[in-house]
Amino acid sequence: ELHNQRETINRELAVLEERRRSLTNTQAAILSDQENARNELHLANERYGEAEQDVARIQSEYEEAKSQLVNVQASLQSRQSERASLEEQLTITRNEIESLSQQRAENNARLDELKSRLESQAQKIEQTKVAIVNGELLLAKARAEYETVHNEREQANLVLHEAEEKVINKKNEVAAIDRQRREALEQRTKEESDHSRLKAQLEVLEQSEQSLAGYAEGARYLLDAARQSKLNGARGALSAALDVPAELETAIAAALGDTLDAVLLDSSQLEEALSLLESDGAGRAALLPLDDRNNGSLNNPIDGDCLGVASELVKSPDELSGAVRLMLGQTLIARDRNAARRLIQDLPTHARVVTLRGEVFRGDGLVIAGKTASSSALSRPRRKREFEAALSELMTRIAESNDLVERLSNQLAGAQRELAQAETDAREARVRLGEIQETEQQAGLESESAQRQLEWQKNQLTQLEAEAQESLSIQQKIIESQAEVERRSAEVHSHSKEIAGRFTEFSAEELQEQSAYWSTRAAVAEQSLTGANARKEERSKEIMRLDARRVDLISRLQEAEDSLLGLDNEKARLRENETSLHGQIEEMRVLIEPAEKDLETAEQEESRLQESETNAQRIFANAERSYGQVQLEQMRKQEALDNLHQKITDDFGLVMFEYADDVSGPVPLPLDGMVEQLPVVTELSPDVEEHLTHHRAQLRRMGPINPDAKTEYEQESERYMFMKTQVEDLRKAQVDLKQVVAELDEITKREFVRTFDAVDKQFRETFVRLFGGGSARLALTDPENLVDTGIEIEARLPGRREQGLALLSGGERSLTAIALVFALLKVSPTPVCVMDEVDAMLDEANVGRFRDLLVDLSKDTQFIIITHNRNTVQAADVIYGVTMGRDSASQIISLRLDQVTDDMLKRA
């Protein structure tokens, strides 16, 4: 930090030294300029004295020439006034003679014209009278025809109104019937869907009963043996024989437990059933022999939370009443756990209390809770009865819906036929009315045409008669005027001869020559006086400028001396700071050397640790790469396993896979009666793959069954009609848009041509004004294609032939472009227009014309001009100048010319 401070001070000292050297040079230059300014001021004072002497001499010459010119001009003016009076009289007389001759010729021509006009008007009056008589006859005939057609149109209008009312009524009737029919179809579709759903559920139940789904493996084996007549005397499963209310199914299933699937047998068949269960793969089953043992039941306690004894709450055949009492006679059904705990206290140890949620409380204190065994087999009889009853009711309702749909369809067909007939009648009436309206319109037009023609003929007759009368009166006036013209012409001729004789007596050539001589002398003296005054004023300004420069140089010299003194003080202060910093640096260097040795040791240790870190990171990257490869391999194996599972599912349907013993959780598809558990296959026959491929192809060809196809068809038909309507609307909109585009193109072309003609007209005028002559015009490169056409400028400068814009010089092209811009501003004025050095290539004459035109256009548009031309600046109201200040930075100077003029007038 101290080194940096010392370097900063050194830089500042170098800068101060450079500034001191610059100020010294500046001071020497100022002294030199001051000496030169004194010499120039002395020389300017001498020139100013000489200019004053020239002004006095020229002023005396000018006064003498002016007095001589006044005397000569007085004599010349007197002589010229008399000569001008005679000349004016002679000119008036000659003009009068010429006017009278012209008036005589005009009167003769008008008399001939009036004569031919009167003859033509007489013929036209006779023809018009004949046409009026014919027109009155035609008008009467047209009015009679119009009245007849008008009555027919009124009658056809009444017929059409009645037909349209009938069509509207029929449409409302058809819409109402169609709405009722759609509602009936929707109701029938819903009922058919419910029927299909209930039928499918019933079929699932029947398939479950047929496949003995939900039973234990041993019970299923015995029931299947009973179906095959291998086991006589089997009465079926206990769950299939019980009729249990829906709200008690969970409780009864929990009460029966493993005996829910107990197989009912005659007592004599028990040994046969046991023998069958001893075979391989038969499984385990609960057997319930039917005998006449009277098993007692519990008494129903008086408790509001006790629903009763389980054996009394279910229904069963009379021959199974003993078995039911045996299984459920010692079981009470309670509403909740609290009631079960309360009831079990008063029961024997072999009794049980079961809650509605399936929790079992035994008298010996054992409680069985949690998820109960499936009650699907117990609920099958009830659900089957409910499904059959619902199916029967739905079949009745579907038949009623079919009758209603058929009746409404017949009504709809009849109403549609009547509607079609009504629409046909309405169309015919509308066509008839259109024809009659066209005839009526034609008759009305003919009647109006005849009326207008008759009125026009009458107006023509009146106008022709008035014109004929007027022509007669004009003819009489012209005859009288012609006589007066002849008399006046003779008088004017004699007076003209008299004035011409007097005019030759006066001559003023000598006085004119003297006046011209002294006028020239006075003009020359005046011009010399103006130049002398200008030189005097210029030299006076030069003296003022040099004096101001002298004062400015004195102030700049003083500023330079003050700056040098400040720089010397600043350098002394910086030298002291530099000496102090140098001592501090020497002190700090003694302290830094031990720390630098420690730093070198630490850097070596850091290098060693960084190398160790690099090796560890390389090992870690290898481990991560190996881990990623293992993960990819595991994902490929898992994907292959999933593909195999999916292929098995596609090939064999819903299959329950065989899991290991240590895998817990539910089976993949816990659907009782719908999942087939396949045996383990160790070997496949050669033709299995061929059969699978054949069956897959058959399934693909058959496709899935869609019971909602009719509903989807109606929905898609409705959507198709909606989309068809939308497409028609879009096509109509497309036609309308194309028409609008065509109209817009036509309007655009028309407006383009109008604007182009207006700009071309203004461009021609502006070009002539800017160039002081010549001509120019705008031309289209492709007049037939106004969209892609270009615009060319053809100009003819004064004294030159017509040529293109590319052959003009830079200044001529600039002036031509300015003419085009000004033409555009005249056609469409804008609030503000900015121009950047457009007059850079123009000479003095062209700049003057450009400035005059700019002043005219500034009445409607505010112009902002960037220019270096002093002639252009004269047209401005406000001037902004950019100059360089003493600190070499740009400065803005503004000046309002109107304020400067006002100030000058006040000073004057």
Side-chain angles (χ1 to χ4, degrees):
E1 183 179 0
L2 293 175
H3 277 294
N4 293 335
Q5 292 179 7
R6 187 175 66 177
E7 291 176 359
T8 302
I9 290 173
N10 289 331
R11 285 196 299 271
E12 291 178 355
L13 286 171
V15 171
L16 291 176
E17 187 65 29
E18 185 65 26
R19 289 181 61 189
R20 190 179 190 286
R21 185 165 50 253
S22 176
L23 286 173
T24 303
N25 295 333
T26 303
Q27 187 179 21
I30 292 172
L31 291 173
S32 177
D33 292 343
Q34 190 176 17
E35 184 63 28
N36 293 334
R38 290 196 191 99
N39 297 332
E40 290 177 0
L41 182 60
H42 178 70
L43 181 60
N45 288 326
E46 292 178 353
R47 290 180 178 177
Y48 182 72
E50 293 175 358
E52 286 181 342
Q53 294 175 3
D54 291 340
V55 168
R57 180 179 56 78
I58 295 171
Q59 181 70 32
S60 63
E61 294 177 359
Y62 173 69
E63 294 295 335
E64 181 183 359
K66 192 173 182 183
S67 62
Q68 293 292 337
L69 178 62
V70 169
N71 296 330
V72 173
Q73 283 181 346
S75 301
L76 179 62
Q77 187 175 5
S78 176
R79 183 68 58 84
Q80 284 180 344
S81 62
E82 294 176 1
R83 184 179 175 85
S85 176
L86 292 174
E87 187 177 1
E88 184 178 358
Q89 292 179 11
L90 182 61
T91 303
I92 292 172
T93 303
R94 289 175 179 172
N95 291 336
E96 189 173 359
I97 292 172
E98 185 179 356
S99 175
L100 290 172
S101 300
Q102 186 177 1
Q103 188 174 359
R104 186 189 302 113
E106 289 179 355
N107 289 336
N108 291 330
R110 292 189 67 186
L111 285 173
D112 295 339
E113 181 185 357
L114 286 172
K115 184 177 179 181
S116 62
R117 185 190 299 176
L118 286 172
E119 294 175 356
S120 175
Q121 287 173 348
Q123 294 178 359
K124 289 182 179 179
I125 288 172
E126 293 298 327
Q127 294 175 359
T128 304
K129 288 180 179 179
V130 175
I132 288 173
V133 175
N134 296 332
E136 289 177 348
L137 296 176
L138 290 175
L139 177 62
K141 182 178 179 182
R143 285 180 175 175
E145 292 178 356
Y146 177 75
E147 291 296 331
T148 303
V149 176
H150 180 72
N151 295 331
E152 292 179 358
R153 197 262 300 169
E154 293 291 336
Q155 185 65 28
N157 198 6
L158 293 175
V159 173
L160 175 62
H161 183 67
E162 293 175 357
E164 288 179 345
E165 287 185 349
K166 185 176 180 181
V167 168
I168 292 172
N169 295 331
K170 288 299 179 182
K171 283 183 177 180
N172 294 333
E173 182 180 354
V174 168
I177 296 173
D178 187 51
R179 185 172 58 256
Q180 295 177 2
R181 180 174 173 274
R182 284 200 302 271
E183 292 175 355
L185 286 172
E186 291 176 357
Q187 183 64 27
R188 186 182 68 179
T189 302
K190 183 179 179 182
E191 291 170 353
E192 290 176 349
S193 176
D194 294 340
H195 179 269
S196 300
R197 179 176 53 81
L198 290 175
K199 187 174 181 181
Q201 292 177 353
L202 182 60
E203 290 176 354
V204 170
L205 287 177
E206 291 176 350
Q207 290 176 3
S208 300
E209 288 184 354
Q210 186 69 22
S211 62
L212 302 175
Y215 291 112
E217 186 176 358
R220 188 163 59 245
Y221 181 80
L222 293 177
L223 292 174
D224 186 56
R227 288 180 182 177
Q228 298 176 7
S229 300
K230 295 180 180 180
L231 179 63
N232 297 322
R235 306 289 185 89
L238 177 62
S239 59
L242 298 179
D243 185 4
V244 183
E247 65 273 9
L248 299 179
E249 287 178 354
T250 302
I252 297 301
L256 292 175
D258 295 338
T259 61
L260 178 64
D261 298 338
V263 180
L264 302 176
L265 299 170
D266 293 337
S267 301
S268 59
Q269 301 298 325
L270 181 59
E271 290 298 329
E272 185 179 356
L274 292 173
S275 299
L276 289 173
L277 289 175
E278 291 178 356
S279 60
D280 294 336
R284 191 174 181 83
L287 304 177
L288 181 59
L290 299 178
D291 51 23
D292 295 333
R293 288 181 295 178
N294 187 9
N295 299 308
S297 300
L298 294 175
N299 295 323
N300 191 2
I302 301 174
D303 193 323
D305 294 330
C306 181
L307 300 180
V309 181
S311 61
E312 298 175 359
L313 296 175
V314 299
K315 297 179 181 179
S316 63
D318 294 338
E319 62 271 16
L320 302 180
S321 58
V324 172
R325 285 195 299 273
L326 175 63
M327 304 303 298
L328 300 174
Q330 302 299 319
T331 303
L332 296 179
I333 306 298
R335 295 186 183 277
D336 51 27
R337 289 195 293 267
N338 295 330
R341 294 191 186 96
R342 186 173 63 253
L343 293 172
I344 199 63
Q345 295 176 359
D346 301 331
L347 297 178
T349 58
H350 61 275
R352 294 174 296 178
V353 178
V354 182
T355 65
L356 294 178
R357 297 178 61 181
E359 298 162 336
V360 180
F361 292 83
R362 290 173 44 171
D364 56 4
L366 181 63
V367 177
I368 303 173
K371 186 177 179 180
T372 61
S374 176
S375 59
S376 59
L378 190 62
S379 63
R380 282 176 188 165
R382 174 185 59 79
R383 292 170 63 190
K384 187 175 181 180
R385 289 194 302 274
E386 293 176 354
F387 288 158
E388 290 175 349
L391 283 173
S392 177
E393 182 181 357
L394 280 175
M395 288 297 295
T396 304
R397 288 164 57 187
I398 289 172
E400 294 175 355
S401 298
N402 288 331
D403 296 339
L404 178 60
V405 168
E406 185 177 1
R407 178 167 52 82
L408 291 175
S409 298
N410 295 332
Q411 293 180 3
L412 179 62
Q416 287 177 343
R417 287 193 296 273
E418 295 177 358
L419 174 61
Q421 183 62 36
E423 289 179 345
T424 303
D425 297 340
R427 274 195 305 273
E428 294 176 355
R430 194 176 293 109
V431 172
R432 175 62 180 164
L433 178 60
E435 295 174 352
I436 294 174
Q437 284 179 343
E438 291 179 359
T439 306
E440 179 187 11
Q441 185 177 7
Q442 184 65 27
L445 293 175
E446 293 177 356
S447 176
E448 292 178 0
S449 176
Q451 179 70 26
R452 288 195 299 271
Q453 185 70 18
L454 180 61
E455 292 177 355
W456 182 79
Q457 295 289 352
K458 291 180 178 180
N459 292 333
Q460 285 291 103
L461 178 61
T462 304
Q463 185 176 358
L464 288 173
E465 291 175 350
E467 289 177 356
Q469 187 66 31
E470 183 180 0
S471 298
L472 289 173
S473 62
I474 292 172
Q475 186 181 24
Q476 186 62 32
K477 290 179 181 179
I478 291 173
I479 293 172
E480 295 174 357
S481 176
Q482 187 73 359
E484 179 66 22
V485 168
E486 293 292 340
R487 184 186 61 79
R488 180 64 181 161
S489 177
E491 294 178 356
V492 172
H493 273 289
S494 61
H495 184 62
S496 175
K497 291 179 181 180
E498 182 183 354
I499 294 172
R502 294 172 59 191
F503 182 75
T504 57
E505 298 176 359
F506 290 92
S507 176
E509 294 179 357
E510 183 180 357
L511 292 175
Q512 286 179 350
E513 291 177 358
Q514 294 179 5
S515 175
Y517 171 74
W518 289 111
S519 177
T520 303
R521 287 285 302 274
V524 171
E526 184 179 5
Q527 186 175 4
S528 299
L529 180 61
T530 302
N533 285 326
R535 288 193 298 274
K536 177 183 175 183
E537 183 67 25
E538 183 178 355
R539 290 170 182 177
S540 176
K541 291 180 179 178
E542 182 69 16
I543 290 172
M544 294 174 63
R545 183 182 65 81
L546 291 173
D547 189 53
R549 183 183 175 189
R550 180 181 60 81
V551 174
D552 182 55
L553 289 173
I554 292 172
S555 63
R556 289 174 60 189
L557 182 60
Q558 184 63 35
E559 290 177 358
E561 291 176 354
D562 295 340
S563 299
L564 283 172
L565 182 59
L567 286 176
D568 292 338
N569 296 331
E570 182 68 17
K571 284 174 64 178
R573 185 182 63 80
L574 292 175
R575 294 290 185 189
E576 293 177 359
N577 292 337
E578 182 182 13
T579 303
S580 175
L581 289 174
H582 185 70
Q584 294 179 14
I585 288 172
E586 292 299 329
E587 294 176 358
M588 296 298 293
R589 183 176 291 113
V590 177
L591 300 176
I592 288 174
E593 291 179 354
E596 287 181 344
K597 294 181 180 180
D598 296 339
L599 177 61
E600 184 178 359
T601 304
E603 288 177 347
Q604 295 176 357
E605 181 66 18
E606 181 186 9
S607 301
R608 185 184 61 79
L609 293 175
Q610 286 179 349
E611 184 177 359
S612 301
E613 182 185 8
T614 303
N615 295 331
Q617 287 179 350
R618 184 168 59 255
I619 295 171
F620 179 71
N622 293 332
E624 281 188 337
R625 186 163 54 253
S626 301
Y627 176 70
Q629 293 175 355
V630 171
Q631 281 187 328
L632 290 175
E633 185 66 23
Q634 190 268 339
M635 291 173 64
R636 286 196 292 269
K637 296 294 184 181
Q638 183 64 38
E639 184 178 357
L641 181 61
D642 294 339
N643 292 335
L644 289 174
H645 286 179
Q646 183 63 36
K647 186 175 181 181
I648 293 173
T649 303
D650 295 341
D651 291 343
F652 300 103
L654 298 175
V655 176
M656 181 182 294
F657 295 107
E658 183 175 322
Y659 284 80
D661 296 337
D662 57 347
V663 177
S664 60
V667 294
L669 297 172
L671 301 176
D672 295 340
M674 298 180 65
V675 178
E676 182 178 0
Q677 189 168 1
L678 299 178
V680 178
V681 178
T682 59
E683 185 179 358
L684 294 176
S685 60
D687 57 347
V688 169
E689 186 68 25
E690 182 179 355
H691 288 304
L692 286 176
T693 303
H694 176 68
H695 291 310
R696 287 197 195 98
Q698 284 185 336
L699 288 174
R700 281 196 300 270
R701 286 195 297 270
M702 291 172 61
I705 298 174
N706 187 6
D708 298 331
K710 187 176 182 181
T711 305
E712 293 177 359
Y713 171 75
E714 294 176 353
Q715 293 176 353
E716 293 299 325
S717 298
E718 183 178 359
R719 183 171 179 270
Y720 169 74
M721 295 304 296
F722 173 75
M723 297 300 293
K724 184 178 180 182
T725 306
Q726 295 294 314
V727 170
E728 292 176 355
D729 293 342
L730 288 175
R731 288 175 178 170
K732 183 179 179 183
Q734 183 183 12
V735 174
D736 296 340
L737 286 175
K738 288 182 177 179
Q739 183 177 359
V740 170
V741 170
E743 293 175 356
L744 287 176
D745 289 342
E746 186 65 28
I747 293 172
T748 303
K749 292 178 181 178
R750 185 168 62 250
E751 291 299 319
F752 173 77
V753 172
R754 183 183 65 80
T755 305
F756 177 79
D757 293 340
V759 173
D760 183 35
K761 179 181 178 182
Q762 294 295 333
F763 174 67
R764 293 169 187 258
E765 297 176 358
T766 307
F767 183 88
V768 173
R769 184 172 176 183
L770 283 176
F771 280 92
S775 64
R777 67 186 184 93
L778 299 177
L780 298 176
T781 58
D782 188 4
E784 301 298 330
N785 186 7
L786 296 180
V787 177
D788 299 328
T789 184
I791 299 176
E792 290 182 347
I793 297 176
E794 297 177 357
R796 184 182 64 79
L797 273 64
R800 293 161 62 178
R801 61 181 177 83
E802 185 173 331
Q803 52 191 346
L805 189 63
L807 300 177
L808 301 179
S809 65
E812 292 167 347
R813 278 184 287 180
S814 297
L815 207 59
T816 305
I818 293 171
L820 180 59
V821 173
F822 283 170
L824 291 173
L825 290 175
K826 287 183 178 180
V827 174
S828 179
T830 59
V832 179
C833 180
V834 181
M835 293 186 173
D836 186 3
E837 297 190 18
V838 296
D839 56 351
M841 304 183 69
L842 305 182
D843 54 17
E844 294 295 330
N846 290 330
V847 170
R849 289 191 288 268
F850 164 70
R851 181 190 60 210
D852 296 339
L853 190 56
L854 193 65
V855 173
D856 294 342
L857 290 175
S858 62
K859 298 175 182 178
D860 299 324
T861 301
Q862 180 181 4
F863 285 91
I864 299 174
I865 309 295
I866 301 171
T867 181
H868 291 284
N869 197 307
R870 63 178 65 186
N871 292 331
T872 305
V873 173
Q874 294 177 5
D877 297 328
V878 182
I879 301 174
Y880 294 94
V882 182
T883 183
M884 181 181 294
R886 294 181 180 178
D887 55 353
S888 300
S890 297
Q891 293 182 356
I892 306 298
I893 302 173
S894 62
L895 178 66
R896 292 186 63 89
L897 297 183
D898 53 353
Q899 295 179 357
V900 173
T901 305
D902 295 340
D903 294 341
M904 293 176 64
L905 291 174
K906 290 178 181 178
R907 293 174 183 174

